[in-house]
Structure formats: structure tokens, C-alpha cells
Amino acid sequence: MLIHKVLIPALLLFAGTTARAEAAPPPTAPLFAAYDEIHDALAADRVAGVTAAAPRLAALANAAGEGADGAYVEVVQTAKKLDGEELEPLRTSFAELSRAMARLATATGFTGTQLYHCPMVKAYWLQPTSDTAVANPYYGSSMSKCGSRVNGID
């Protein structure tokens, strides 16, 4: 009788916990935090922040999307392109990364970010929803306010 009162409920509780843990989506907030570091560095015309955060973003996306394909794989591939010491090539690669991160936000339902567009470069970027000021990563300090919030990628 003790088995029915203690062991069976414990087994059911364990089985339910395991099922819920497997159904939980991979955490995306750390990926977007690393992306934000890259954005902030480019907006401030700094290479160092980009080259520090890009490998971390690639590793986070690789771990979060292990066994998956699509959006996570694209983030890993584009983040790895953010390597070098010149701002302009980093900004070009950042445009690719931004598209990949926008697709990841859509695929995972992440709502902590908003999409912006620079009409001069014809490129997109993401900023946290808490950021209300435009911070253009493509022109940095020379045209930091160039761009506007948009609802989707054309």
C-alpha cells in the first residue's frame, strides 16, 4: 500500500517534470544580449566590442540550436563572419546577422526586440524594445539617428 501512496505519485511527478523540460523552448535572451553588444559597439564605432561578442553569440546559438536547423544555424554562420579589424566589413556582415536574428526572433517568438531600417544603407538591425532612441550601427556616430522602426523586412 505504501508503494501506491508514495512511489507511484513520485514517478508520475518525475515523468511530468521531464516532459515539461523537453517541451521548453531554447533560451534566446542571451543570444539577443550578445547581439545587442555587437550593435552597441558598431553604433559607437568600436571594433573591439564586435570581435568580443560575435564568437560568444555564435557559441550560444550553436548550443541553443543543437540538433536544430534553420534560424539558429544561420545565426551561427553569420556571427562567424564578424571577424576583422575594419568597421566597414564588420558592418556589412552585421547586416546579414541582423536578418538572421530577425528570423530567429520570429521563429522563437522572442518579443524583447524591435526592428529598424536604415534607408541609406538599405539594411536592417534590431534594438531592445526598451531602447527608444535610434542608434544606427551602419553609420555609427556620424549619422546615429538615421533610420526608423519598421514592422518587417521587405
Side-chain angles (χ1 to χ4, degrees):
M1 192 61 127
L2 180 63
I3 290 176
H4 291 286
K5 289 184 179 179
V6 176
L7 185 58
I8 292 175
L11 288 172
L12 291 173
L13 178 64
F14 177 73
T17 303
T18 303
R20 280 193 299 270
E22 290 173 5
T28 54
L31 280 78
F32 285 93
Y35 172 88
D36 293 340
E37 288 179 42
I38 296 167
H39 165 267
D40 293 348
L42 290 173
D45 301 318
R46 290 190 328 263
V47 170
V50 176
T51 57
R56 189 170 65 254
L57 173 58
L60 287 166
N62 190 49
E66 192 171 342
D69 56 5
Y72 287 100
V73 172
E74 187 179 5
V75 169
V76 171
Q77 292 170 344
T78 56
K80 287 180 178 180
K81 293 179 182 180
L82 289 164
D83 185 28
E85 296 300 320
E86 299 290 325
L87 276 172
E88 292 315 309
L90 290 173
R91 286 179 166 142
T92 300
S93 295
F94 182 73
E96 291 180 58
L97 176 63
S98 294
R99 284 181 170 269
M101 291 296 290
R103 282 191 275 279
L104 180 65
T106 300
T108 61
F110 185 74
T111 59
T113 194
Q114 53 197 2
L115 185 65
Y116 285 82
H117 181 255
C118 174
M120 306 269 302
V121 179
K122 296 179 178 58
Y124 297 89
W125 78 90
L126 300 169
Q127 286 184 210
T129 53
S130 59
D131 285 356
T132 56
V134 174
N136 187 319
Y138 301 110
Y139 283 109
S141 60
S142 68
M143 293 181 69
S144 63
K145 303 300 178 206
C146 179
S148 59
R149 186 173 179 198
V150 295
N151 291 324
I153 294 177
D154 295 331

